[in-house]
Amino acid sequence: MGASGERVMVVQADTALTYAQVFARAAALGAALQAQFGVTRGTHVALVMANRAEWIVSVLAITAAGGIAALVNSRGVAEEIQRALVTAQCDLAICDERGAEGVGTDWAGRRIVIGEDFETLSAPRAGLDFIPDEPAPEDGGIILFTSGTTGFPKAALLSHGA
């Protein structure tokens, strides 16, 4: 981590997280995504949450585990969120409370909701370092959604090289 480890990376309300804290949480969450949720290279994991510290931790953890983060509009209605999960072929969703409502209970995938479960899964562990997967430039990195001006939004896969 070097000299930047103790510098502030994220500020949310009255909480500030350093680079070291964010990467320690991402290392723990990434390990949990692999061990408990079966995330491997190419697994699509939806992020359905507002802009918050957990979003940054989650993106880092997903990509470190080799997964592909699908950035779903958490402000959409349930039908739009559910369509995005299916379109992007997501196996797992990490959500805030509002996002979890949009995902609903009928979706076949698994989900992690920000709160106690997320805090437990992302709790830093001694001896666990952030070691990201080393993808090839052509490997999928992140999924964004088009605006849907000519129909429903489509999932656009961006490579790590992009």
Side-chain angles (χ1 to χ4, degrees):
M1 183 64 49
S4 66
E6 295 312 312
R7 292 183 57 207
V8 173
M9 179 181 185
V10 178
V11 176
Q12 178 180 325
D14 50 343
T15 301
L17 298 174
T18 66
Y19 280 85
Q21 291 170 317
V22 169
F23 281 104
R25 288 189 168 282
L29 182 58
L33 291 177
Q34 290 174 319
Q36 296 178 36
F37 295 90
V39 173
T40 60
R41 184 170 286 183
T43 302
H44 294 192
V45 180
L47 287 179
V48 191
M49 68 177 83
N51 185 14
R52 54 190 302 151
E54 293 90 349
W55 188 96
I56 294 169
V57 169
S58 297
V59 169
L60 290 169
I62 293 164
T63 56
I68 300 171
L71 309 181
V72 176
N73 179 4
S74 65
R75 292 181 176 254
V77 297
E79 179 184 349
E80 294 167 327
I81 291 171
Q82 292 163 10
R83 184 179 300 111
L85 296 173
V86 172
T87 300
Q89 300 174 335
C90 294
D91 298 313
L92 174 67
I94 303 176
C95 322
D96 59 15
E97 289 293 327
R98 186 179 189 292
E101 290 174 12
V103 169
T105 56
D106 292 337
W107 179 53
R110 297 172 71 187
R111 66 184 185 172
I112 299 168
V113 179
I114 301 300
E116 186 176 334
D117 288 343
F118 186 90
E119 289 302 315
T120 300
L121 294 171
S122 67
R125 296 190 303 226
L128 183 61
D129 294 324
F130 182 79
I131 302 172
D133 182 60
E134 294 189 27
E138 64 274 7
D139 289 343
I142 204 158
I143 296 172
L144 301 174
F145 290 87
T146 64
S147 63
T149 55
T150 60
F152 294 123
K154 293 160 188 63
L157 177 65
L158 300 180
S159 70
H160 282 280

